Amino acid sequence: MLSSRRRREEIVRLAETRGLAEVGEMAERFAVSPSTIRRDLARLESAGKLARTYGGAMVAQSHTEPSLQQRIGEAFSEKLAIATWAAEQIQPGESIALDAGSTTAALAHRLRSRSGVTVTTASLTVLGELTGAEGVTLHCLGGTLRPLSQALVGPIAEIALSRMSFDRVFLGADSVDAERGICEADLSQSQLKELLAARSDHVYVLAHAAKLGRRPFHAWTRFAPGWTLVTTGTGELVEPFLEQGIQVITVPGPERAEAPERGVGNW
């Protein structure tokens, strides 16, 4: 049985990932009485971590979207491992698309020395990584800039995609959920992911372990048959995805890598 502190941590996690945690469900899950759960909720509410509802609780406040710069140092070594694996899948002569995100930027850095590869992106960070890479043909999708994600989105990007196709697309994610798919902070990002995937022969979703099973925002891109989740997650974290028939590649993460000090260009 979990300690009371650990149980309360798990209650918060459930509320964050599912949006609403019910007393009866939690009592059964943690093998304690409903009154014990109610006392836990009261303490969490006093601490400002949860807001109590009729029969349960929810997170006290909505998540705010971190900027790309803030996300660069998160799970740095895991992102490097995923990017290294992804780069190995790309063959000479292929045309690929890279979504916005810090992991796809790390992948772009891995491609700087490649030759005979065509890369299409709406990400300013990916563009920065590959500008000057002599062996890479680089296409930029137009659109409206989202400063937080450093990505171009909207109808201009979507129209450009209608005239293109790719051998592979590598999608980033704020988080991923086995039932709902890729979670994003903005519907325009979700729409662009769907269009990128629809124009590609092979689709890879790049998400390190901490992103699995979370639902911080309310814009979604559903997984489609044939997509591959590339992650550092194992065990219970990936089981829900396997149960949904989603192919999962687990990449062993390095034990340690230092985060960059100045930006994505230091991958």
Side-chain angles (χ1 to χ4, degrees):
M1 180 179 295
L2 296 177
S3 67
S4 58
R5 180 184 63 81
R6 179 59 177 158
R7 185 177 62 246
R8 287 192 286 272
E9 291 175 351
E10 284 296 301
I11 289 172
V12 173
R13 187 186 67 81
L14 282 173
E16 289 177 339
T17 57
R18 299 189 180 184
L20 178 67
E22 298 180 351
V23 169
E25 176 189 356
M26 290 185 288
E28 181 178 354
R29 181 185 184 94
F30 299 118
V32 296
S33 68
S35 61
T36 297
I37 294 296
R38 292 190 186 95
R39 287 194 294 271
D40 286 338
L41 297 181
R43 290 193 60 170
L44 291 168
E45 183 178 35
S46 297
K49 295 182 179 180
L50 290 181
R52 297 181 72 179
T53 64
Y54 181 77
M58 62 189 299
V59 286
Q61 54 187 334
S62 59
H63 293 259
T64 56
E65 180 186 5
S67 68
L68 180 65
Q69 190 67 34
Q70 290 172 317
R71 287 184 279 124
I72 288 172
E74 296 176 354
F76 186 67
S77 62
E78 295 182 65
K79 293 175 184 178
L80 289 177
I82 291 171
T84 299
W85 181 92
E88 292 171 353
Q89 312 312 305
I90 300 168
Q91 305 301 313
E94 288 191 336
S95 177
I96 68 166
L98 296 184
D99 192 15
S102 54
T103 308
T104 52
L107 171 54
H109 188 79
R110 292 287 184 278
L111 301 178
R112 289 172 58 87
S113 60
R114 292 290 189 90
S115 60
V117 176
T118 299
V119 177
T120 297
T121 189
S123 166
L124 298 190
T125 50
V126 170
L127 289 172
E129 288 289 354
L130 292 175
T131 296
E134 296 183 358
V136 177
T137 300
L138 187 58
H139 296 309
C140 176
L141 299 174
T144 302
L145 178 65
R146 290 193 76 249
L148 280 174
S149 59
Q150 290 292 288
L152 301 167
V153 297
I156 297 175
E158 294 165 10
I159 290 171
L161 276 176
S162 69
R163 295 173 176 263
M164 309 174 80
S165 64
F166 312 103
D167 295 295
R168 305 176 195 273
V169 62
F170 298 87
L171 302 178
D174 285 337
S175 61
V176 289
D177 179 81
E179 295 181 357
R180 296 188 182 182
I182 303 172
C183 183
E184 289 293 333
D186 185 80
L187 286 170
S188 61
Q189 291 180 297
S190 297
Q191 173 71 3
L192 195 64
K193 290 179 192 298
E194 288 186 3
L195 293 174
L196 284 166
R199 308 298 295 179
S200 179
D201 294 334
H202 303 282
V203 180
Y204 304 87
V205 180
L206 311 182
H208 62 79
K211 293 185 175 183
L212 304 186
R214 300 182 61 245
R215 302 179 180 184
F217 305 116
H218 299 286
W220 295 93
T221 304
R222 293 189 65 86
F223 282 99
W227 290 20
T228 300
L229 171 64
V230 186
T231 183
T232 51
T234 59
E236 292 182 355
L237 288 175
V238 300
E239 284 179 6
F241 297 91
L242 295 172
E243 291 172 357
Q244 293 290 327
I246 299 166
Q247 181 178 358
V248 177
I249 299 294
T250 296
V251 180
E255 292 185 3
R256 182 175 180 181
E258 295 296 331
E261 296 180 357
R262 293 175 296 172
V264 176
N266 292 333
W267 288 106

